[in-house]
Amino acid sequence: MEPPNPTDAVRPLLRVRQVREFSGEPVDPAALDAIADAARWSGSSQNSQPWRFLLVRDRSTLGAIHEAGLPQARSLATAPAAIAIAMPQRPGGGIALAYDEGRAAERILIAASLLDLGAGIAWIPTEARPIVAELLSLPDDRFVRTVVAIGHPSDGSRRPKSKRGEARLPRAEVVFEERWPA
Ligand SMILES: Cc1cc2nc3c(=O)[nH]c(=O)nc-3n(C[C@H](O)[C@H](O)[C@H](O)COP(=O)(O)O)c2cc1C
C-alpha cells in the first residue's frame, strides 16, 4: 500500500476544532482514560510534568464550574465530562508552566478528536478560580485555569463554523520561507 501523502497524513490534526455544545450521550470511561493518558504523556519543561488531571463527570460539579466561569465556560453547560488541569502556583514559573499546560490541553483536544469526540477549552476567569478550587478540593498550592469539556458533539456543533478553508488565515500570511517577507 502506498504511504499517505503528507497532507493526508496530518489531516486528522486539521480536523481538531473547538466544540462548545454536546449531545446528551455519555462519554465511554475507557475513552476518557485514553485521553488522560495522551495528556499525561505530553512533554513538559525539564520533564517536570507539573500538571494533575482531574476527570470530572459529575453533572452538578460541571454545572457549578459552568456557572462560575461564564461566559468562557459555556461549553460546560452540555458537557458530560471534562478534564480540569491543575497546575502549581509557582511565583516566577508562569511562562514555562503555561506553555506546559497548553501542550497538554491541545493533546486532550487531539485525543478527543481521534476518538470521534469533541472537546473545548474553557479558561476559568481569575475571580472564579477560588470557587473551582473548592469544587475540586484542590490543595492550596494548585489552581485550575483550563478545563477541557469533552463529549459527543451536538449536531449543530458538527456543522462547519465557516466556509471551507476560511477558518484560518491564508497560508501566505502565516508561513514564510527562510525569512520574514520584505
Ligand atoms: C489559551 C486559550 C484559551 C481559550 N479559552 C477559551 C474559553 O475560555 N472559552 C472558549 O469557549 N474557548 C476558548 N478557547 C478556544 C478558542 O476560542 C478556539 O481555539 C479558537 O476560537 C479556534 O477555534 P476552532 O479551532 O474551532 O476554529 C481558548 C483557546 C486557547 C488557545
Side-chain angles (χ1 to χ4, degrees):
M1 205 170 69
E2 291 256 322
N5 72 42
T7 304
D8 287 341
V10 302
R11 202 172 302 283
L13 294 180
L14 273 47
R15 292 204 187 98
V16 178
R17 302 293 299 280
Q18 182 85 11
V19 172
R20 296 191 181 87
E21 191 185 72
F22 302 92
S23 75
E25 198 181 333
V27 172
D28 176 1
L32 201 57
D33 285 346
I35 294 169
D37 279 336
R40 77 183 179 84
W41 273 93
S42 303
S44 55
S45 170
Q46 300 177 332
N47 199 21
S48 60
Q49 304 164 67
W51 41 62
R52 297 293 179 268
F53 301 103
L54 289 96
L55 313 186
V56 185
R57 282 172 261 237
D58 184 330
R59 259 311 313 167
S60 67
T61 307
L62 294 167
I65 300 175
H66 163 252
E67 212 163 289
L70 280 173
Q72 289 92 323
R74 60 195 180 282
S75 53
L76 294 173
T78 50
I83 298 182
I85 307 180
M87 298 297 290
Q89 309 257 23
R90 193 181 299 152
I95 291 181
L97 285 170
Y99 197 106
D100 292 344
E101 182 182 337
R103 292 186 71 185
E106 183 67 12
R107 278 213 180 192
I108 293 171
L109 296 194
I110 293 167
S113 176
L114 293 174
L115 293 167
D116 206 25
L117 293 165
I121 291 173
W123 251 20
I124 304 302
T126 315
E127 62 278 10
R129 287 182 199 163
I131 303 171
V132 173
E134 189 165 337
L135 285 164
L136 300 177
S137 307
L138 297 186
D140 287 347
D141 58 352
R142 292 268 166 182
F143 76 105
V144 165
R145 166 176 35 215
T146 305
V147 177
V148 188
I150 299 171
H152 295 268
S154 67
D155 289 343
S157 60
R158 281 188 192 276
R159 277 184 221 116
K161 292 189 248 184
S162 43
K163 282 200 207 132
R164 199 178 158 84
E166 289 189 4
R168 296 294 186 262
L169 294 169
R171 188 178 205 283
E173 284 181 32
V174 181
V175 181
F176 308 140
E177 294 285 341
E178 305 294 349
R179 54 181 59 82
W180 195 273

